Amino acid sequence: MTGQAVSKRISYLGPEASFTHLAATKVFPNSTLVPFTTIPECIEAVAEGSVDYAVVPLENALEGSVPLTVDYLFHEAQLYVTAEVLSSIQQHLLVHPENRDAESFEAIYSHPHALAQCHKFLYYTYKNTPLEQYSSTAAAAKMVSELPERNIAAIGNEFSAHKYGLDILQRDIHDFHFNHTRFFVLSKSDHKLTDPSHDDQIKTTLMITPPDDDRSGVLHQMLSVFAWRRLNLSKIESRPLKTGLGDYFFIADVLADENETMMRGAFEELAALGCTVKTLGSYYTYKS
Amino acid sequence: MTGQAVSKRISYLGPEASFTHLAATKVFPNSTLVPFTTIPECIEAVAEGSVDYAVVPLENALEGSVPLTVDYLFHEAQLYVTAEVLSSIQQHLLVHPENRDAESFEAIYSHPHALAQCHKFLYYTYKNTPLEQYSSTAAAAKMVSELPERNIAAIGNEFSAHKYGLDILQRDIHDFHFNHTRFFVLSKSDHKLTDPSHDDQIKTTLMITPPDDDRSGVLHQMLSVFAWRRLNLSKIESRPLKTGLGDYFFIADVLADENETMMRGAFEELAALGCTVKTLGSYYTYKS
């Protein structure tokens, strides 16, 4: 149990009231949270030591792309995952209080991914209303709060509604109700942040680069290493190495601690197969 | 060889001069190209028959996220991949011709992913210049073209520079030089678009849902089905099913035609293992 002290500084992918901000407040309710414009800036802030932790989206994110985080961790940074945060994504239709009785709008503003996540709602309820792209859900909410004379709406989270004094005209307008975003909490030192309510399932994230020859066979061999030991993978994904087309590495989440006997055996065999393994550490899950 | 007729209508993820627009012109130089705001809108346009093909980003994209395309194809649409387009992503620093001699800028505008892709260049060359997020690289270029009196720059592609009459102050400012974006060309009918210069490597994209029990073992068995037949996978990725945490399906690219004997055998064995297989079809690659 560390990292909860008041004096800690945390970088997160901004702007304020973003989904990443919401995830960061879950893990660090009493720390100084510093927004950054891009994922590499967030990650470098912790690598350089100007903050203690970075909170960045990893999967299914609204504000940034998964590949950016994965690739930056693989190519550029030597950091550890100290926790992950799983947040359910809830999108609401937000309006200025003066327009709360409106039945139609000039336009609806949001981040392109948020507009896409609410596609069916928008299609059936506001079919002829123009959809306008904005750089983030929080920025769209801010704009709506500043222009009460325009009859416009934003799509965003509850945090944005509170921050910018907007009314929630309709709740939970996203199409898929089991839609989660996954965030990593990164640090320079390899340790675990724990949550009093965590469910005890530990996870380890590995980045595995196969040897140059016969990649298809190696993937099958790699999985054999885990399968016969009953080490469960909750995720596996191939990513281009960026050294040329057709060169890949794998990111895998294993439901075990990296220090378990079976995991140490797996690391040895992966090395014997010619694979290079970079571990991002073992960590618990915060849910919000 | 189909789909090149002048009368075809093509939806793409806009706005105009986006990287997806550039990819669409590569495959359909003489067709009517129609921009849409979101990936689901692009895909539904072809599903409903208002256009003949949709061009959407799949991997490592700037304008949209991979999961949106993959998940929409899995959950919502019954469409086929008729071609893929691989584009190298080249980012340039764009300025209004009146500001071509500027050595510093008030601010640099672009899509958050483009700002992130040029992180090192910006860090070393314009360390103290504010970075401002915009909804797309093309929209940022348009804004710079409309405000010559402000000493600002945009990051975007060559297409945007031409379209909005901007000068390219510095070329190729992206950090990774083997950075490609992959696009799918979707249709309601299962056929192949070919390019006179294609390199003959056919690819088939499969979406495989394992049976409910013992997922880890099944992934290993699934890969055995391909491995002993020497069917090479160029990509594999697990994606949440959205029916609850921990439920996954897999998207796999196999370097073979779905009608080959070995592939038909693989489909039969996957079914025998309890897997559900949805094929998106076999297709060739356009490079740009």
Side-chain angles (χ1 to χ4, degrees):
Chain A
M1 186 69 183
T2 61
Q4 308 289 352
V6 175
S7 62
K8 295 282 183 193
R9 285 170 57 83
I10 320 296
S11 64
Y12 68 92
L13 183 66
E16 277 190 83
S18 67
F19 283 92
T20 311
H21 191 185
L22 206 53
T25 59
K26 175 76 185 171
V27 185
F28 303 104
N30 301 311
S31 301
T32 304
L33 304 180
V34 188
F36 282 84
T37 309
T38 69
I39 290 172
E41 286 178 297
C42 279
I43 296 178
E44 293 225 330
V46 70
E48 292 170 359
S50 68
V51 300
D52 301 290
Y53 294 93
V55 182
V56 289
L58 183 75
E59 243 181 71
N60 195 18
L62 279 173
E63 304 93 338
S65 90
V66 185
L68 271 175
T69 301
V70 171
D71 291 352
Y72 211 80
L73 288 173
F74 182 81
H75 290 285
E76 301 292 330
Q78 184 56 60
L79 296 174
Y80 297 93
V81 182
T82 59
E84 70 171 357
V85 187
L86 271 182
S87 304
S88 69
I89 294 292
Q90 289 164 322
Q91 303 283 8
H92 311 308
L93 189 68
L94 312 179
V95 296
H96 195 281
E98 290 182 18
N99 295 318
R100 74 173 65 166
D101 297 322
E103 286 179 1
S104 62
F105 298 100
E106 265 178 56
I108 299 174
Y109 288 77
S110 199
H111 189 281
H113 296 188
L115 294 172
Q117 289 192 344
C118 303
H119 172 73
K120 284 192 234 175
F121 168 80
L122 294 168
Y123 184 85
Y124 289 111
T125 316
Y126 294 99
K127 185 162 175 49
N128 296 313
T129 308
L131 306 179
E132 300 287 344
Q133 300 190 352
Y134 228 65
S135 62
S136 72
T137 56
K142 181 163 184 279
M143 200 257 301
V144 166
S145 75
E146 290 165 353
L147 299 170
E149 69 281 8
R150 284 191 62 199
N151 186 22
I152 53 178
I155 292 173
N157 62 23
E158 188 144 16
F159 203 14
S160 298
H162 288 309
K163 185 170 167 63
Y164 298 111
L166 300 180
D167 277 12
I168 297 179
L169 194 67
Q170 185 139 0
R171 281 190 177 274
D172 295 336
I173 60 172
H174 46 286
D175 297 337
F176 289 106
H177 286 269
F178 287 95
N179 205 11
H180 285 74
T181 294
R182 195 174 160 212
F183 303 87
F184 271 172
V185 181
L186 301 167
S187 158
K188 274 208 275 197
S189 78
D190 189 7
H191 63 279
K192 296 177 188 69
L193 294 177
T194 54
D195 177 17
S197 68
H198 76 72
D199 62 2
D200 287 316
Q201 175 58 67
I202 202 160
K203 198 184 275 185
T204 301
T205 295
L206 305 176
M207 288 167 160
I208 306 171
T209 310
D212 282 343
D213 52 332
D214 189 25
R215 280 165 210 291
S216 168
V218 163
L219 173 58
H220 180 241
Q221 286 179 301
M222 273 167 44
L223 289 172
S224 305
V225 164
F226 295 107
W228 80 256
R229 290 182 169 84
R230 295 198 173 279
L231 292 168
N232 282 308
L233 272 63
S234 61
K235 175 184 170 164
I236 185 158
E237 187 178 334
S238 55
R239 287 286 312 147
L241 269 175
K242 300 192 176 179
T243 49
L245 286 174
D247 295 341
Y248 282 82
F249 71 94
F250 295 91
I251 180 162
D253 294 341
V254 189
L255 299 179
D257 189 295
E258 60 185 326
N259 294 314
E260 286 175 25
T261 306
M262 282 297 190
M263 283 288 271
R264 293 205 311 270
F267 290 145
E268 282 172 18
E269 281 186 14
L270 288 170
L273 289 173
C275 296
T276 308
V277 181
K278 179 176 182 176
T279 174
L280 297 185
S282 302
Y283 52 86
Y284 292 105
T285 304
Y286 287 70
K287 287 179 183 152
S288 72
Chain B
M1 186 71 183
T2 61
Q4 308 290 350
V6 175
S7 62
K8 295 283 183 194
R9 285 171 57 83
I10 319 296
S11 65
Y12 69 92
L13 183 66
E16 277 190 83
S18 68
F19 283 92
T20 310
H21 191 184
L22 205 54
T25 59
K26 174 76 185 171
V27 184
F28 303 105
N30 301 311
S31 300
T32 305
L33 303 181
V34 188
F36 283 83
T37 308
T38 69
I39 290 172
E41 286 177 296
C42 279
I43 296 177
E44 293 225 330
V46 71
E48 291 170 358
S50 68
V51 301
D52 301 290
Y53 294 94
V55 182
V56 289
L58 183 76
E59 242 181 72
N60 196 19
L62 278 174
E63 304 93 338
S65 90
V66 185
L68 270 174
T69 300
V70 171
D71 291 352
Y72 210 80
L73 288 174
F74 182 80
H75 290 284
E76 300 292 329
Q78 184 56 59
L79 296 174
Y80 297 94
V81 181
T82 58
E84 68 171 359
V85 187
L86 271 182
S87 305
S88 68
I89 295 292
Q90 289 164 321
Q91 302 284 7
H92 312 307
L93 189 68
L94 312 179
V95 296
H96 194 282
E98 291 181 17
N99 295 318
R100 74 173 64 166
D101 298 322
E103 285 178 0
S104 63
F105 298 99
E106 263 178 56
I108 299 174
Y109 288 78
S110 198
H111 188 281
H113 295 189
L115 294 172
Q117 290 192 344
C118 303
H119 172 74
K120 284 192 231 174
F121 168 80
L122 294 168
Y123 185 85
Y124 290 111
T125 317
Y126 294 100
K127 186 161 174 49
N128 295 313
T129 308
L131 305 178
E132 298 288 344
Q133 300 191 351
Y134 228 65
S135 62
S136 72
T137 55
K142 181 164 184 278
M143 198 257 303
V144 166
S145 75
E146 290 166 352
L147 299 170
E149 69 281 7
R150 284 191 61 201
N151 187 22
I152 54 178
I155 292 173
N157 63 23
E158 188 146 15
F159 202 16
S160 298
H162 288 310
K163 184 169 167 63
Y164 298 111
L166 300 180
D167 277 12
I168 297 180
L169 194 67
Q170 185 141 0
R171 281 190 177 274
D172 295 337
I173 60 172
H174 45 287
D175 297 338
F176 289 104
H177 286 269
F178 286 94
N179 205 11
H180 285 74
T181 294
R182 194 174 160 212
F183 302 88
F184 271 171
V185 182
L186 301 168
S187 158
K188 273 209 275 199
S189 78
D190 188 6
H191 63 278
K192 295 177 189 70
L193 294 177
T194 54
D195 176 16
S197 68
H198 76 74
D199 62 2
D200 287 316
Q201 175 59 67
I202 201 160
K203 199 184 274 185
T204 301
T205 295
L206 305 176
M207 288 167 160
I208 306 172
T209 311
D212 282 342
D213 54 332
D214 189 25
R215 282 165 208 291
S216 167
V218 164
L219 174 58
H220 181 240
Q221 286 180 301
M222 272 167 45
L223 290 171
S224 305
V225 165
F226 295 107
W228 79 257
R229 291 182 168 85
R230 294 199 174 279
L231 292 168
N232 282 309
L233 272 62
S234 62
K235 174 184 168 165
I236 185 157
E237 188 177 333
S238 55
R239 287 286 310 147
L241 269 175
K242 299 191 176 179
T243 48
L245 286 175
D247 296 340
Y248 283 82
F249 71 94
F250 295 92
I251 179 161
D253 293 342
V254 190
L255 299 178
D257 189 295
E258 60 185 327
N259 293 315
E260 286 175 27
T261 306
M262 282 299 190
M263 283 289 271
R264 292 205 311 270
F267 290 145
E268 282 171 19
E269 281 186 14
L270 288 168
L273 289 172
C275 296
T276 307
V277 181
K278 179 175 182 176
T279 174
L280 297 185
S282 302
Y283 52 86
Y284 292 105
T285 305
Y286 287 69
K287 288 178 183 152
S288 72

